[in-house]
Amino acid sequence: MALHLKASRARINRHWHVLCSEIGERYAGTRGEQDAADYIEGQMRRLGLAGTHQQPFEFPNWSYSQCALRVGKRRPTRRIEARPNAYSSATPDRGVSGPLINLQGGHKWDLAQPMKGKIGVLVGSLLLGDPDVRNQLVRSGIKALLAVDARIPFEWITSNGNCPAWMNGYHVPTVGIAYMDAIRLLKQMPARAHLKVKARSFPAMSQNVIGEIPGSRHPDQVIVVSAHHDAVWGNVGADDNASGVVFLLEMARLFARRRPKRTIRFISYGVEERLSVGAYLYAQSLTPAERRRIVFGINADSIATTIGSDMVGVTGTPQLARFVERIWNARRHAVHIERMVTPYSDHFPLNAIGVPTVWMTRPSIGTGSYWQLHSVHDNLENVSAAPLSRTIETNAILLDQVANATRLPFPRRLSPEVAREARRLHKSEYGHPWSPDSFDYDR
Ligand SMILES: [Zn+2]
């Protein structure tokens, strides 16, 4: 029988509208995130998915109420827009001030400069996941840090995610400024800055939403289709990751009335933007026997930017990569397939328990990243239904083949070198503290 797995533009636009216009911002631990979860649960129930429920969990949340940055040659009088990185410490009430120091790209040699009593400007990747970098900063006596996301060389600020594990015991107030502001600021050097941040960390609740289609022949073999419904601070996350939630809901609709041989479990995770907290806690909540039942994962995160090119990140074996390539080629679906291990989306906690996965994403062209990522520009203006429906339809073929094959078309395992890398990243990027009690935020 020929496949008739067509995505519905009307439904895509409807889901997008509800998530981004009616609900809007979905910052972790807020009403918006909960409303999105309730909407997804309602859709799963309407489709008749089995065992539909929410899995609530507690996590250390963070928010800020004030962030004021001023700079100047002698006296800091010129205001620059800034936003604290997630889990940034507060400053004392009167703020902190000091001479600026150019920490360049934030490499080891950059951070070897004397920083005591100064405010640093760091353009590039602030690698707080690296304990050496974190310790260097904590011990330096630096007063505050202005961190500039060099992937996004624009006039606007971004909301930078961090996870509790990286920020544990890190007490340096750290804020982001726009790339172009950093250029103007560094051109003025030497200069001084004054920074005031009011922020706090507190226990909060989030939730994963789970529903499934039980397999008719191999109900004990489970394929996980996932996305995340939270977004970063200050935008509606139309691409990151309402696009993935729409993908998940459309995939659920396309398969809801079929009887696949294997079980398909749909999971929308909470708190992805702090390094997949929901996905990690989900994987941890499974018994060893339940973990062994998961044979494959399809994760969608940021798949609908208008000017972009589709990519599939394959974490598993060469056989899985070839299988994916055959399906995309047969559809003439232009795609970059890359074998990779990356901890920066919700497929990774499955890799960490030995499950092969594919990650659908769509980087924008020309910026080496996602130009609207984590900024106010991640809105409905800048995403398109065309690439999204294409990715849904190609994945429907993939899912159909995996769910209904007599034998799984690729091994249910990771190649040894992939497994090694997954274990290494799991140790360095994930781990404690996941509970508010063990999180040393500001003591
Ligand atoms: Zn995301």
Side-chain angles (χ1 to χ4, degrees), residues 81-345:
E81 194 188 6
R83 179 174 294 161
N85 283 16
Y87 299 106
S88 165
S89 296
T91 60
D93 280 349
R94 63 185 183 287
V96 291
S97 53
L100 286 166
I101 177 171
N102 186 350
L103 298 177
Q104 306 190 112
H107 304 285
K108 272 200 174 68
W109 52 90
D110 296 321
L111 300 181
Q113 304 176 72
M115 301 181 236
K116 196 170 165 57
K118 296 178 181 168
I119 294 178
V121 184
L122 187 157
V123 184
S125 300
L126 174 55
L127 300 170
L128 290 175
D130 180 339
D132 291 341
V133 170
R134 198 165 60 231
N135 291 338
Q136 236 172 330
L137 284 166
V138 169
R139 289 204 211 99
S140 68
I142 195 168
K143 278 191 172 164
L145 190 58
L146 316 183
V148 187
D149 189 339
R151 294 171 304 175
I152 322 277
F154 299 132
E155 289 281 0
W156 55 82
I157 55 171
T158 55
S159 298
N160 286 306
N162 283 299
C163 66
W166 298 353
M167 301 304 266
N168 199 31
Y170 175 81
H171 302 303
V172 182
T174 299
V175 304
I177 62 174
Y179 189 90
M180 297 310 287
D181 276 329
I183 290 182
R184 289 184 282 264
L185 182 59
L186 291 170
K187 201 174 159 82
Q188 285 206 315
M189 296 277 275
R192 292 181 64 83
H194 178 267
L195 176 70
K196 184 173 172 181
V197 175
K198 277 190 186 169
R200 67 189 185 104
S201 179
F202 52 96
M205 294 302 291
S206 178
Q207 64 299 112
N208 298 324
V209 191
I210 306 168
E212 66 183 36
I213 305 169
S216 57
R217 182 89 51 87
H218 308 291
D220 55 336
Q221 294 184 22
V222 179
I223 301 158
V224 171
V225 177
S226 66
H228 70 84
H229 51 270
D230 67 309
V232 296
W233 188 289
N235 71 74
V236 301
D239 190 35
D240 185 9
N241 188 25
S243 69
V245 173
V246 175
F247 170 97
L248 181 143
L249 293 176
E250 270 296 89
M251 294 287 275
R253 182 183 66 83
L254 292 174
F255 284 85
R257 273 179 200 84
R258 302 175 153 254
R259 292 291 287 147
K261 289 184 180 148
R262 295 184 174 79
T263 296
I264 306 173
R265 184 173 299 157
F266 298 91
I267 312 180
S268 184
Y269 296 113
V271 207
E272 186 273 348
E273 298 294 356
R274 317 288 170 76
L275 204 60
S276 296
V277 173
Y280 175 84
L281 292 175
Y282 173 75
Q284 295 302 308
S285 74
L286 301 173
T287 64
E290 287 169 330
R291 289 179 187 190
R292 278 194 296 275
R293 274 181 218 134
I294 302 178
V295 296
F296 181 50
I298 301 174
N299 180 48
D301 194 348
S302 308
I303 57 175
T305 190
T306 303
I307 298 181
S309 58
D310 289 338
M311 193 182 116
V312 181
V314 175
T315 312
T317 53
Q319 292 96 313
L320 173 58
R322 281 197 295 274
F323 173 70
V324 168
E325 200 178 339
R326 274 199 300 278
I327 290 170
W328 264 253
N329 282 350
R331 285 249 307 154
R332 305 274 184 272
H333 184 155
V335 69
H336 171 57
I337 297 170
E338 188 167 322
R339 291 194 63 204
M340 54 157 58
V341 187
T342 174
Y344 300 123
S345 190

